[in-house]
Amino acid sequence: MRAGIVVTGTEVLTGRIADQNGPWVSEQLLAAGVDVAHITICGDRPADLTAQLRFLADQQVDLIVTSGGLGPTADDLTVATVAEFCGRDLQLDPALEEHIAGIIRRWRPDTVDLDDGPTRIGIHKQARVPAGAVAIPPTGTAPGVAIPAVPGTQPLPAILVLPGPPGELQAMWPAAIASPAIADVVSRADDLTQETIRAYGLHEAELAETLRRAEETIPGFAALEITTCLRRGELDMVTRFAAADTATYGQLLDFLTEHHGRQIFSTDGSTIEDQLIATLDGRLIATAESCTGGLVAARLTDRPGSSAYVTGGVVSYSNDAKSDLIDVPAELIASRGAVSEEVAAAMAEGALRHLKSDVAVSTTGIAGPDGGTEAKPVGTVCFGVAIKGRPTHTITRRFPGDRERVRSLTTTAALHLVVAQLKRDRAAG
Amino acid sequence: MRAGIVVTGTEVLTGRIADQNGPWVSEQLLAAGVDVAHITICGDRPADLTAQLRFLADQQVDLIVTSGGLGPTADDLTVATVAEFCGRDLQLDPALEEHIAGIIRRWRPDTVDLDDGPTRIGIHKQARVPAGAVAIPPTGTAPGVAIPAVPGTQPLPAILVLPGPPGELQAMWPAAIASPAIADVVSRADDLTQETIRAYGLHEAELAETLRRAEETIPGFAALEITTCLRRGELDMVTRFAAADTATYGQLLDFLTEHHGRQIFSTDGSTIEDQLIATLDGRLIATAESCTGGLVAARLTDRPGSSAYVTGGVVSYSNDAKSDLIDVPAELIASRGAVSEEVAAAMAEGALRHLKSDVAVSTTGIAGPDGGTEAKPVGTVCFGVAIKGRPTHTITRRFPGDRERVRSLTTTAALHLVVAQLKRDRAAG
């Protein structure tokens, strides 16, 4: 089973916003055993969209997923273009029309033209579904559409049409792949298992070298489909394999653990956030950030329910803020510098105290592009991890890249440091 | 002039890393007046790459730019695949081979197999250039290739082959578009101006309706190429036009300002961050965040040099943190609720005081998915804006969508509220 993904939208094509849907849908399809052969991006010109649909159909993909172009306005043309491509008429779905109107009524109760005027025209347009297709209920206001494959001498793949806003598309995904036209494709996909190993502090080239040796050592290695990827400073390795090759994957896992056991932090797909929550084990965490400016706190509070373990944080960007909010002595900043392990320790301890927490992590560094010195070049970051009743742990790291990369790598490093320190603390009893 | 962009790489196709090259190259081409019709992404399978090249040539683009697949290893096949597609033999360029060897000699002076073995084999591979093509000197170790267009009955577009690492690709871009085969395409492109209007609080459907009326009113409207895009709660409208249509764009701008003057906050491409820095005008800003958990502070400190105007912030996620760090009275939280304008005001005022700032903004709300009530459903957010020596301004908003969307829309709203309040304050004298 092979699929193609079509991302529409002039704003994506022209580079003004980065596409999130292609990669996300690709990951979901892969996880369901459907191989993605092509992702294509076009603007809001129907002729270009039609050309891409024709290209993918000619490539004999079994499924096309499109994103975008489902809005209420006249330039949103995906459903009409796809319907024409499939030779299907558009038919009004009155129940769907009322469903969309109901959503707008709840969200924007003051919409005056809900029963008449531009809003009603838009709803009417959005409630038109190609003949023989099934609507996917909207989570925003734009419904999706699932069109069954057509077998025969001029076959057409199944086509799943979804909206562009990533939040809407993702929320609609479970219903979309459960709809009969799409479920039929997925049910015929290979039943592959996908396993993820995550490492931190391991270079891609080192892993590549180890995999080369594994290939020589492990019989049947070629049956494993391995891809590796660096993301926010972590190295993920995803392996897909059939049930018959489970033992081979087990051998690979042993081989990797033997060589990189210290760097591999997850073999069950769990993320560093999952592990942080598990190692916190009911304790409360706080942050004190300088160069990351709130990114560590934002990442910790990303998850629903994070108020159960995050008390809060301090973004002590200025030196005054470090002293005033969390008692970092001004003399310490003056003598050691704001970017120093001493200040990082004082920040973590101050946050621990002021935010009545059990654990606190701090970052202070030089994100750049300015502010670097010979002794402390851009990318230098000091961290502190304070655990109630224990000596505070500090470390200095140096990260490559531009401001955004340094801030992102620092955020990931902060989470890994906390987990490592909590585990060490637990091991020490 | 139309172009297509081909991004190669299994890691991009499978969604494990986000492609940066498609959007970047697209923006460069647009700036040079070359319209991008299609971006396509494929893995490391030569047949899929060939299919995409064939598709783009069939679409009669004038230029194809590829990224990726230029490494020294056997699975990097872009140059060989493109050469075969064009019917050109690969020829060794000895000067290029020595150039690459020289780079490796400088970067990794301890490479033992530079004159023999895998490294030399890799260099030899990378120094092979399609007949009639021109090499683009590498900034990493992978050279690019520029292949001239072929006119005639079976025409082929010009093809520019560039490496995958975004830093390398971007550094090689100036030399790439200056190479004769590519410069020839660019010289024939239209010279278009691009203008951006940004609005906040304007619905896409309203703008669409206004544009429909503008089309009826303004002669020559059709010559303007308009795209609109919602991003983080803001509505951007980008218009491209030739020099001869400048007056028409002026009329459109007047028309839009007349109808949506209150919502349009930028007509010169400036962002809300630019305007915040301008309206702060040397004053210092601080944040007090609950539901956004650090995102407002992170966005404010995104920019190099932000320490000149950001003192810091407090992520007062727990009620204790609100009371302990920034003096929000516990009784106030108990009587009005943590999500209330009274608490938002106390948060902003506390941050203003404790972070010794001139301006402070606060957010407290229900990001969801849990925690909503009938009176304060998920998406309800209270804001406070405190300006030194002025009464504190508060407002309650309700945002649609999931947790991530509510947090993102809240962050954007916070910046707009600060700018609006500072402008109102200035107008009040």
Side-chain angles (χ1 to χ4, degrees):
Chain A
M1 290 289 120
R2 271 163 58 105
I5 300 170
V6 177
V7 176
T8 73
T10 301
E11 68 285 4
V12 176
L13 182 69
T14 54
R16 253 173 298 113
I17 65 169
D19 170 49
Q20 293 181 42
N21 292 333
W24 191 87
V25 170
S26 186
E27 281 200 289
Q28 305 308 309
L29 289 175
L30 269 175
V34 179
D35 218 13
V36 174
H38 303 275
I39 298 176
T40 65
I41 304 173
C42 63
D44 298 323
R45 285 175 288 226
D48 290 341
L49 172 55
T50 302
Q52 294 191 350
L53 294 170
R54 172 49 48 210
F55 166 67
L56 293 173
D58 288 347
Q59 295 298 308
Q60 301 182 318
V61 298
D62 304 281
L63 171 65
I64 296 175
V65 180
T66 77
S67 83
L70 304 190
T73 55
D75 58 333
D76 283 308
L77 286 162
T78 302
V79 172
T81 306
V82 169
E84 196 185 334
F85 174 74
C86 298
R88 292 172 189 262
D89 289 333
L90 286 177
Q91 297 171 338
L92 181 70
D93 182 334
L96 183 58
E97 187 177 18
E98 204 25 62
H99 183 75
I100 299 171
I103 290 173
I104 297 180
R105 202 167 281 130
R106 270 201 308 284
W107 277 9
R108 311 199 319 248
D110 51 343
T111 304
V112 290
D113 60 348
L114 186 57
D115 296 317
D116 199 5
T119 299
R120 172 55 62 170
I121 295 170
I123 296 170
H124 194 81
K125 170 180 171 291
Q126 289 182 301
R128 284 153 59 92
V129 175
V134 171
I136 316 290
T139 56
T141 66
V145 170
I147 304 171
V150 178
T153 51
Q154 290 198 306
L156 283 178
I159 304 182
L160 173 60
V161 177
L162 290 173
E168 288 184 37
L169 179 144
Q170 292 174 21
M172 286 160 70
W173 186 257
I177 57 161
S179 76
I182 312 306
D184 176 56
V185 175
V186 173
S187 70
R188 286 180 288 130
D190 289 341
D191 192 12
L192 296 182
T193 301
Q194 177 169 310
E195 294 283 358
T196 302
I197 295 173
R198 297 186 209 277
Y200 183 68
L202 180 63
H203 284 288
E204 229 174 342
E206 288 175 77
L207 178 59
E209 177 57 24
T210 305
L211 288 175
R212 263 193 294 275
R213 280 188 285 145
E215 189 169 8
E216 292 163 8
T217 314
I218 300 172
F221 179 91
L224 306 176
E225 192 186 316
I226 299 171
T227 56
T228 62
C229 161
L230 264 174
R231 183 157 46 172
R232 298 200 290 198
E234 293 173 354
L235 185 59
D236 289 357
M237 185 183 111
V238 176
T239 308
R240 296 169 70 217
F241 53 90
D245 301 306
T246 305
T248 311
Y249 178 74
Q251 283 182 274
L252 173 61
L253 182 56
D254 290 346
F255 194 87
L256 289 171
T257 309
E258 188 186 314
H259 288 81
H260 305 298
R262 285 187 50 201
Q263 287 87 24
I264 292 172
F265 68 91
S266 167
T267 59
D268 60 359
S270 64
T271 64
I272 193 64
E273 278 95 338
D274 293 328
Q275 300 194 1
L276 176 62
I277 295 167
T279 49
L280 276 174
D281 195 19
R283 284 175 288 185
L284 300 172
I285 187 166
T287 59
E289 303 178 62
S290 185
C291 59
T292 44
L295 288 172
V296 178
R299 193 153 160 199
L300 287 176
T301 57
D302 229 4
R303 299 210 174 186
S306 51
S307 58
Y309 50 89
V310 179
T311 56
V314 163
V315 180
S316 49
Y317 216 56
S318 68
N319 289 342
D320 274 358
K322 293 182 183 67
S323 305
D324 296 345
L325 284 175
I326 45 174
D327 306 333
V328 179
E331 314 82 65
L332 190 69
I333 298 175
S335 65
R336 314 301 312 187
V339 179
S340 63
E341 293 193 19
E342 290 84 350
V343 167
M347 285 172 66
E349 290 164 6
L352 191 80
R353 253 188 338 268
H354 282 274
L355 284 146
K356 291 184 184 148
S357 302
D358 306 297
V359 184
V361 60
S362 67
T363 64
T364 177
I366 301 148
D370 304 318
T373 62
E374 189 132 349
K376 294 172 186 172
V378 168
T380 305
V381 180
C382 299
F383 297 85
V385 179
I387 303 177
K388 210 181 203 169
R390 301 277 180 176
T392 296
H393 173 73
T394 60
I395 192 169
T396 303
R397 298 280 307 274
R398 188 164 158 214
F399 301 105
D402 62 8
R403 182 177 179 86
E404 191 188 336
R405 182 132 185 259
V406 169
R407 281 165 46 109
S408 164
L409 293 176
T410 301
T411 303
T412 301
L415 302 190
H416 279 276
L417 279 173
V418 173
V419 171
Q421 200 56 24
L422 285 173
K423 284 185 177 167
R424 224 170 281 145
D425 187 60
R426 190 170 57 193
Chain B
M1 291 289 118
R2 273 163 56 106
I5 300 170
V6 178
V7 176
T8 72
T10 300
E11 68 285 5
V12 176
L13 182 69
T14 54
R16 263 188 290 284
I17 66 168
D19 170 49
Q20 292 180 44
N21 293 332
W24 192 88
V25 170
S26 186
E27 280 201 288
Q28 305 309 308
L29 289 175
L30 269 176
V34 178
D35 218 13
V36 174
H38 303 275
I39 299 176
T40 64
I41 304 173
C42 64
D44 298 323
R45 286 175 288 224
D48 290 341
L49 173 54
T50 302
Q52 294 191 348
L53 294 170
R54 172 49 49 211
F55 165 66
L56 293 173
D58 288 347
Q59 294 299 307
Q60 301 181 318
V61 298
D62 303 282
L63 171 67
I64 296 174
V65 179
T66 77
S67 84
L70 303 190
T73 54
D75 57 335
D76 283 309
L77 286 162
T78 302
V79 172
T81 306
V82 169
E84 195 184 337
F85 174 74
C86 298
R88 293 172 189 260
D89 288 334
L90 286 176
Q91 297 172 338
L92 181 70
D93 180 334
L96 183 60
E97 185 176 19
E98 204 25 62
H99 183 76
I100 300 171
I103 290 173
I104 296 179
R105 202 167 281 131
R106 270 201 309 283
W107 279 9
R108 311 200 315 252
D110 51 342
T111 304
V112 291
D113 60 348
L114 186 57
D115 297 317
D116 200 6
T119 298
R120 174 54 63 170
I121 294 169
I123 296 171
H124 194 81
K125 169 180 172 293
Q126 289 182 299
R128 283 152 60 90
V129 175
V134 171
I136 316 290
T139 56
T141 66
V145 170
I147 304 171
V150 178
T153 52
Q154 289 199 308
L156 283 177
I159 304 181
L160 173 61
V161 176
L162 290 172
E168 288 185 37
L169 178 144
Q170 292 173 22
M172 287 162 70
W173 185 257
I177 56 162
S179 76
I182 312 307
D184 177 56
V185 175
V186 173
S187 70
R188 286 180 288 131
D190 291 338
D191 190 13
L192 296 182
T193 301
Q194 179 168 308
E195 295 283 356
T196 303
I197 294 173
R198 298 185 209 277
Y200 182 69
L202 180 63
H203 285 288
E204 229 175 343
E206 288 174 77
L207 178 60
E209 177 58 22
T210 305
L211 288 175
R212 263 194 293 274
R213 279 188 285 143
E215 189 168 8
E216 292 163 7
T217 314
I218 301 173
F221 180 91
L224 306 176
E225 192 186 317
I226 298 171
T227 56
T228 63
C229 161
L230 264 174
R231 179 157 51 171
R232 300 199 289 197
E234 294 173 355
L235 185 58
D236 289 356
M237 185 183 112
V238 176
T239 309
R240 295 171 70 219
F241 52 91
D245 301 306
T246 305
T248 311
Y249 178 74
Q251 284 183 270
L252 173 63
L253 183 56
D254 290 345
F255 194 88
L256 289 171
T257 308
E258 188 186 316
H259 287 81
H260 305 298
R262 285 186 49 201
Q263 287 89 23
I264 292 173
F265 67 92
S266 166
T267 59
D268 60 359
S270 64
T271 63
I272 192 65
E273 279 95 339
D274 294 327
Q275 302 196 358
L276 176 63
I277 295 167
T279 50
L280 276 174
D281 195 19
R283 284 174 288 185
L284 299 172
I285 187 166
T287 59
E289 303 179 62
S290 185
C291 59
T292 45
L295 289 172
V296 178
R299 194 154 159 198
L300 287 176
T301 57
D302 229 4
R303 298 210 175 186
S306 51
S307 58
Y309 49 90
V310 180
T311 57
V314 163
V315 180
S316 50
Y317 215 57
S318 68
N319 289 343
D320 275 357
K322 291 183 184 68
S323 305
D324 296 345
L325 284 176
I326 44 173
D327 306 333
V328 180
E331 314 83 66
L332 190 68
I333 299 175
S335 64
R336 314 301 311 188
V339 179
S340 63
E341 294 193 18
E342 290 84 349
V343 167
M347 286 171 66
E349 290 163 6
L352 191 80
R353 253 190 336 271
H354 281 274
L355 284 146
K356 292 183 184 148
S357 302
D358 306 298
V359 184
V361 59
S362 66
T363 64
T364 177
I366 300 148
D370 304 318
T373 62
E374 189 131 349
K376 294 173 186 172
V378 167
T380 305
V381 181
C382 299
F383 297 85
V385 179
I387 303 177
K388 211 181 201 169
R390 301 276 180 174
T392 297
H393 173 73
T394 60
I395 192 169
T396 302
R397 299 279 309 273
R398 188 166 155 213
F399 301 104
D402 62 7
R403 182 176 179 86
E404 191 189 337
R405 183 132 185 258
V406 169
R407 282 165 45 108
S408 163
L409 293 176
T410 301
T411 302
T412 300
L415 302 191
H416 279 276
L417 279 173
V418 173
V419 171
Q421 200 55 25
L422 285 173
K423 285 185 177 169
R424 224 171 281 145
D425 187 59
R426 191 170 55 192

